[in-house]
Amino acid sequence: MEVHEAVAHEDESQFATEFTEYREKNVRLPVEHYTIHECMLKPLLNDGGLLTGKRILDLACGNGHYTRQLKDLGCAYIRGVDLSAPMIDIARKIERRDPKGIEYEVNDVVNLSSSQQSYDLVTGFYLFDYARDRDELLAMVRIISNQLGEGKHFIGIIGNVIAGKKMFDQRKYGVTREIKDPLDGERIPDGTEIVVTLYDEHDQPTTPFINYYYSPSTYEQVFREAGFKSLEWVPYQYDKNADDYAFFDDLINRAPSIGMVAKK
């Protein structure tokens, strides 16, 4: 997750710590993990269920939460990039404590230069939510396209733009979204600012931050313009045999986030 300028008026180090704690403890992690690993990533793994020999770029990597999981799948090389220096500091501290061979870099996605050797997979979990306008969104997607080899994939998670306003109130699961300036009707215009608040294990709000909304059709147009052949939406899913499946019914039916898989 890129902090971007969303917490420019807050203590960024405090935000990084709060977000890390939420990421590791919040109850929606089982659903998100299941969706990423079982519904998005699994078709890209080899017969052994690994990413052996693959080069991966994890954008908006935050504290390296998913970067480490991807590395554990046996990829040959992985690089995590995030704009937030405090987030990368946390990731590097974890890497020093438990070395996995992950490279971390503080950088803005739109400033990344093309790699001399293309990547087999680029990931971006909660990256596009921070694009402040369509031009910046397109710039991000073009950078991703430039990093990928032909026929390779991008996978990501964003706020559930397909659900519209139904994604907003998920306080039960530790997250709320509110439109900064109230709107008439159900339609949400592109570029609408959305205030996201995460809640800790004591149900206390942490530092709020700003996301930006873009319609599904805008995303689909942007990915086509950037040279991708396809973009598939992947709704949140969960293991129906899990003991706590019923608890997540509301989260699945009115999911605050949604997955995306794009092929170059």
Side-chain angles (χ1 to χ4, degrees):
M1 174 210 148
E2 280 210 348
V3 174
H4 224 309
E5 295 181 357
V7 291
H9 301 296
E10 302 288 347
D11 184 338
E12 193 177 332
S13 296
Q14 178 184 349
F15 176 87
T17 300
E18 290 174 340
F19 187 83
T20 298
E21 291 175 350
Y22 171 85
R23 207 69 174 123
E24 302 295 345
K25 298 175 182 177
N26 193 264
V27 294
R28 75 189 177 96
L29 280 178
V31 175
E32 187 171 285
H33 283 195
Y34 184 86
T35 302
I36 290 172
H37 286 276
E38 296 298 321
C39 308
M40 300 166 64
L41 191 58
K42 194 171 184 177
L44 307 181
L45 304 179
N46 62 21
D47 292 340
L50 298 172
L51 289 164
T52 306
K54 304 298 185 184
R55 287 173 48 83
I56 300 176
L57 176 62
D58 185 21
L59 301 176
C61 69
N63 73 335
H65 180 84
Y66 284 118
T67 325
R68 291 185 289 275
Q69 292 183 19
L70 290 165
K71 180 59 178 174
D72 287 342
L73 290 173
C75 61
Y77 172 79
I78 188 164
R79 173 185 172 204
V81 178
D82 199 282
L83 182 60
S84 169
M87 286 286 193
I88 293 297
D89 284 346
I90 294 171
R92 287 172 173 163
K93 286 177 182 177
I94 295 172
E95 174 67 17
R96 287 195 292 272
R97 187 169 66 240
D98 180 19
K100 293 180 180 292
I102 301 172
E103 291 186 12
Y104 290 107
E105 174 184 345
V106 178
N107 206 342
D108 193 331
V109 170
V110 297
N111 293 331
L112 287 180
S113 57
S114 297
S115 175
Q116 292 183 346
Q117 187 176 352
S118 62
Y119 289 92
D120 299 293
L121 175 66
V122 176
T123 60
F125 303 115
Y126 300 102
L127 166 65
F128 299 137
D129 302 271
Y130 295 89
R132 290 160 291 189
D133 54 42
R134 188 186 188 280
D135 288 342
E136 187 169 28
L137 178 62
L138 178 58
M140 288 180 177
V141 180
R142 279 180 170 158
I143 288 291
I144 291 168
S145 180
N146 290 340
Q147 301 288 339
L148 279 171
E150 197 67 25
K152 303 302 182 180
H153 292 81
F154 165 81
I155 66 173
I157 294 281
I158 61 171
N160 191 355
V161 296
I162 291 179
K165 292 183 178 180
K166 290 181 179 179
M167 70 173 171
F168 286 170
D169 186 9
Q170 289 291 356
R171 180 68 178 270
K172 174 181 177 181
Y173 302 103
V175 59
T176 60
R177 287 176 167 85
E178 297 177 284
I179 294 175
K180 189 173 182 180
D181 298 312
L183 302 171
D184 294 329
E186 289 298 312
R187 181 178 175 274
I188 306 175
D190 281 354
T192 295
E193 294 187 14
I194 296 174
V195 181
V196 183
T197 303
L198 309 178
Y199 295 81
D200 63 21
E201 66 271 26
H202 304 296
D203 200 33
Q204 295 300 307
T206 63
T207 306
F209 53 96
I210 299 295
N211 279 178
Y212 298 86
Y213 174 92
Y214 300 94
S215 70
S217 61
T218 295
Y219 275 104
E220 290 158 9
Q221 291 167 6
V222 162
F223 270 82
R224 283 196 299 269
E225 289 178 35
F228 282 87
K229 296 182 178 70
S230 64
L231 173 61
E232 174 190 358
W233 298 103
V234 183
Y236 265 11
Q237 299 173 50
Y238 192 46
D239 184 358
K240 293 182 178 180
N241 296 316
D243 293 339
D244 54 356
Y245 178 80
F247 176 76
F248 293 104
D249 275 353
D250 290 339
L251 185 68
I252 294 168
N253 293 328
R254 302 195 308 137
S257 304
I258 193 167
M260 56 194 338
V261 178
K263 183 177 181 179
K264 183 175 174 183

